[in-house]
Short mmCIF file of all heavy atoms in Angstrom, two decimals:
data_model
loop_
_atom_site.label_atom_id
_atom_site.label_comp_id
_atom_site.label_asym_id
_atom_site.label_seq_id
_atom_site.Cartn_x
_atom_site.Cartn_y
_atom_site.Cartn_z
N LYS V 19 107.79 89.76 50.94
CA LYS V 19 106.46 90.19 50.49
C LYS V 19 106.54 90.93 49.15
O LYS V 19 105.74 90.69 48.25
CB LYS V 19 105.80 91.08 51.54
CG LYS V 19 104.49 91.73 51.09
CD LYS V 19 103.85 92.48 52.24
CE LYS V 19 102.69 93.34 51.79
NZ LYS V 19 103.14 94.63 51.25
N GLU V 20 107.50 91.82 49.01
CA GLU V 20 107.60 92.59 47.77
C GLU V 20 107.93 91.69 46.59
O GLU V 20 107.35 91.83 45.51
CB GLU V 20 108.66 93.69 47.92
CG GLU V 20 108.70 94.63 46.74
CD GLU V 20 109.51 95.90 47.02
OE1 GLU V 20 109.01 96.76 47.76
OE2 GLU V 20 110.63 95.99 46.51
N ALA V 21 108.85 90.75 46.79
CA ALA V 21 109.19 89.82 45.71
C ALA V 21 107.99 88.96 45.32
O ALA V 21 107.73 88.71 44.14
CB ALA V 21 110.36 88.92 46.15
N LEU V 22 107.25 88.52 46.33
CA LEU V 22 106.04 87.72 46.09
C LEU V 22 105.04 88.51 45.24
O LEU V 22 104.46 87.98 44.28
CB LEU V 22 105.42 87.36 47.45
CG LEU V 22 104.14 86.52 47.51
CD1 LEU V 22 104.13 85.74 48.82
CD2 LEU V 22 102.90 87.40 47.44
N ILE V 23 104.86 89.80 45.56
CA ILE V 23 103.89 90.62 44.82
C ILE V 23 104.36 90.86 43.39
O ILE V 23 103.55 90.86 42.46
CB ILE V 23 103.61 91.94 45.57
CG1 ILE V 23 102.80 91.64 46.84
CG2 ILE V 23 102.87 92.93 44.68
CD1 ILE V 23 102.54 92.83 47.73
N PHE V 24 105.66 91.02 43.17
CA PHE V 24 106.14 91.21 41.80
C PHE V 24 105.92 89.94 40.96
O PHE V 24 105.59 90.02 39.77
CB PHE V 24 107.60 91.65 41.78
CG PHE V 24 107.75 93.14 41.83
CD1 PHE V 24 107.79 93.81 43.04
CD2 PHE V 24 107.81 93.89 40.67
CE1 PHE V 24 107.89 95.18 43.10
CE2 PHE V 24 107.92 95.27 40.71
CZ PHE V 24 107.96 95.93 41.93
N ALA V 25 106.09 88.77 41.58
CA ALA V 25 105.77 87.53 40.88
C ALA V 25 104.28 87.46 40.57
O ALA V 25 103.87 87.06 39.47
CB ALA V 25 106.19 86.33 41.73
N PHE V 26 103.46 87.89 41.52
CA PHE V 26 102.01 87.93 41.32
C PHE V 26 101.64 88.88 40.19
O PHE V 26 100.76 88.60 39.36
CB PHE V 26 101.35 88.35 42.64
CG PHE V 26 99.87 88.48 42.59
CD1 PHE V 26 99.06 87.41 42.24
CD2 PHE V 26 99.26 89.69 42.92
CE1 PHE V 26 97.68 87.53 42.21
CE2 PHE V 26 97.88 89.82 42.90
CZ PHE V 26 97.09 88.74 42.54
N MET V 27 102.34 90.03 40.12
CA MET V 27 102.11 90.97 39.01
C MET V 27 102.40 90.32 37.66
O MET V 27 101.73 90.59 36.67
CB MET V 27 102.99 92.21 39.18
CG MET V 27 102.54 93.14 40.29
SD MET V 27 103.67 94.55 40.45
CE MET V 27 103.42 95.35 38.86
N GLY V 28 103.44 89.47 37.65
CA GLY V 28 103.76 88.75 36.41
C GLY V 28 102.64 87.82 35.99
O GLY V 28 102.30 87.74 34.80
N ILE V 29 102.05 87.13 36.96
CA ILE V 29 100.92 86.24 36.66
C ILE V 29 99.73 87.05 36.12
O ILE V 29 99.10 86.67 35.13
CB ILE V 29 100.51 85.45 37.92
CG1 ILE V 29 101.61 84.47 38.31
CG2 ILE V 29 99.19 84.70 37.70
CD1 ILE V 29 101.40 83.82 39.67
N LEU V 30 99.45 88.18 36.75
CA LEU V 30 98.36 89.04 36.28
C LEU V 30 98.63 89.50 34.85
O LEU V 30 97.72 89.53 34.01
CB LEU V 30 98.20 90.25 37.21
CG LEU V 30 97.72 89.96 38.63
CD1 LEU V 30 97.78 91.23 39.49
CD2 LEU V 30 96.29 89.41 38.63
N ARG V 31 99.87 89.84 34.54
CA ARG V 31 100.23 90.30 33.18
C ARG V 31 100.03 89.16 32.18
O ARG V 31 99.50 89.39 31.08
CB ARG V 31 101.68 90.79 33.17
CG ARG V 31 102.16 91.23 31.78
CD ARG V 31 101.44 92.49 31.34
NE ARG V 31 101.78 92.84 29.97
CZ ARG V 31 101.08 92.47 28.90
NH1 ARG V 31 100.00 91.72 29.04
NH2 ARG V 31 101.46 92.85 27.69
N LEU V 32 100.45 87.96 32.54
CA LEU V 32 100.27 86.82 31.63
C LEU V 32 98.80 86.59 31.32
O LEU V 32 98.44 86.17 30.22
CB LEU V 32 100.88 85.55 32.25
CG LEU V 32 102.42 85.47 32.25
CD1 LEU V 32 102.88 84.30 33.10
CD2 LEU V 32 102.96 85.34 30.83
N ASN V 33 97.94 86.87 32.29
CA ASN V 33 96.50 86.72 32.11
C ASN V 33 95.84 87.99 31.57
O ASN V 33 94.60 88.05 31.45
CB ASN V 33 95.84 86.33 33.44
CG ASN V 33 96.26 84.95 33.90
OD1 ASN V 33 96.62 84.10 33.10
ND2 ASN V 33 96.22 84.73 35.21
N ASN V 34 96.66 89.00 31.26
CA ASN V 34 96.17 90.29 30.75
C ASN V 34 95.17 90.94 31.71
O ASN V 34 94.20 91.58 31.28
CB ASN V 34 95.55 90.14 29.36
CG ASN V 34 95.59 91.44 28.58
OD1 ASN V 34 96.51 92.25 28.75
ND2 ASN V 34 94.60 91.66 27.72
N GLU V 35 95.43 90.77 33.02
CA GLU V 35 94.59 91.39 34.05
C GLU V 35 95.31 92.62 34.60
O GLU V 35 96.53 92.74 34.51
CB GLU V 35 94.31 90.39 35.17
CG GLU V 35 93.52 89.17 34.72
CD GLU V 35 93.30 88.18 35.86
OE1 GLU V 35 92.95 88.63 36.98
OE2 GLU V 35 93.50 86.97 35.64
N ILE V 36 94.55 93.52 35.20
CA ILE V 36 95.13 94.74 35.77
C ILE V 36 96.20 94.40 36.81
O ILE V 36 95.95 93.61 37.71
CB ILE V 36 94.03 95.61 36.39
CG1 ILE V 36 93.16 96.22 35.29
CG2 ILE V 36 94.61 96.71 37.28
CD1 ILE V 36 91.89 96.87 35.80
N ASN V 37 97.37 95.00 36.67
CA ASN V 37 98.42 94.79 37.67
C ASN V 37 99.05 96.11 38.15
O ASN V 37 99.98 96.09 38.95
CB ASN V 37 99.50 93.83 37.17
CG ASN V 37 100.31 94.38 36.01
OD1 ASN V 37 100.10 95.50 35.55
ND2 ASN V 37 101.26 93.58 35.53
N VAL V 38 98.54 97.24 37.68
CA VAL V 38 98.98 98.55 38.15
C VAL V 38 97.75 99.41 38.44
O VAL V 38 96.86 99.52 37.60
CB VAL V 38 99.89 99.26 37.12
CG1 VAL V 38 100.27 100.66 37.62
CG2 VAL V 38 101.15 98.45 36.87
N LEU V 39 97.71 99.99 39.62
CA LEU V 39 96.57 100.80 40.04
C LEU V 39 96.86 102.29 39.84
O LEU V 39 97.84 102.80 40.39
CB LEU V 39 96.24 100.54 41.51
CG LEU V 39 95.81 99.11 41.86
CD1 LEU V 39 95.67 98.96 43.37
CD2 LEU V 39 94.49 98.78 41.17
N SER V 40 96.01 102.95 39.07
CA SER V 40 96.21 104.38 38.82
C SER V 40 96.11 105.21 40.10
O SER V 40 96.75 106.25 40.23
CB SER V 40 95.17 104.88 37.80
OG SER V 40 93.86 104.67 38.29
N SER V 41 95.32 104.71 41.08
CA SER V 41 95.18 105.44 42.33
C SER V 41 96.48 105.48 43.11
O SER V 41 96.70 106.37 43.94
CB SER V 41 94.08 104.80 43.20
OG SER V 41 94.40 103.45 43.51
N ALA V 42 97.39 104.53 42.85
CA ALA V 42 98.69 104.49 43.53
C ALA V 42 99.78 105.22 42.74
O ALA V 42 100.62 105.91 43.32
CB ALA V 42 99.12 103.04 43.77
N THR V 43 99.75 105.09 41.40
CA THR V 43 100.84 105.66 40.60
C THR V 43 100.51 107.01 39.98
O THR V 43 101.40 107.72 39.52
CB THR V 43 101.22 104.71 39.44
OG1 THR V 43 100.14 104.66 38.50
CG2 THR V 43 101.54 103.32 39.95
N GLY V 44 99.21 107.35 39.92
CA GLY V 44 98.82 108.60 39.29
C GLY V 44 98.67 108.50 37.78
O GLY V 44 98.51 109.52 37.10
N SER V 45 98.70 107.28 37.22
CA SER V 45 98.50 107.11 35.77
C SER V 45 97.05 107.40 35.40
O SER V 45 96.18 107.49 36.27
CB SER V 45 98.88 105.69 35.35
OG SER V 45 98.10 104.73 36.03
N SER V 46 96.80 107.53 34.12
CA SER V 46 95.46 107.94 33.66
C SER V 46 94.40 106.88 33.93
O SER V 46 93.22 107.19 34.09
CB SER V 46 95.50 108.29 32.17
OG SER V 46 95.98 107.19 31.42
#
């Protein structure tokens, strides 16, 4: 599951879509 999601994050990045949630990481 984790590997699948990291591949999915790559697809989101290629499409310039959000792939990191501030509510989870505490980013701005």
Side-chain angles (χ1 to χ4, degrees):
K19 172 174 170 278
E20 187 167 286
L22 180 152
I23 289 175
F24 270 87
F26 178 58
M27 287 178 64
I29 293 170
L30 293 173
R31 177 68 186 93
L32 286 170
N33 293 335
N34 205 31
E35 297 178 44
I36 289 169
N37 67 0
V38 177
L39 297 174
S40 60
S41 60
T43 68
S45 60
S46 57

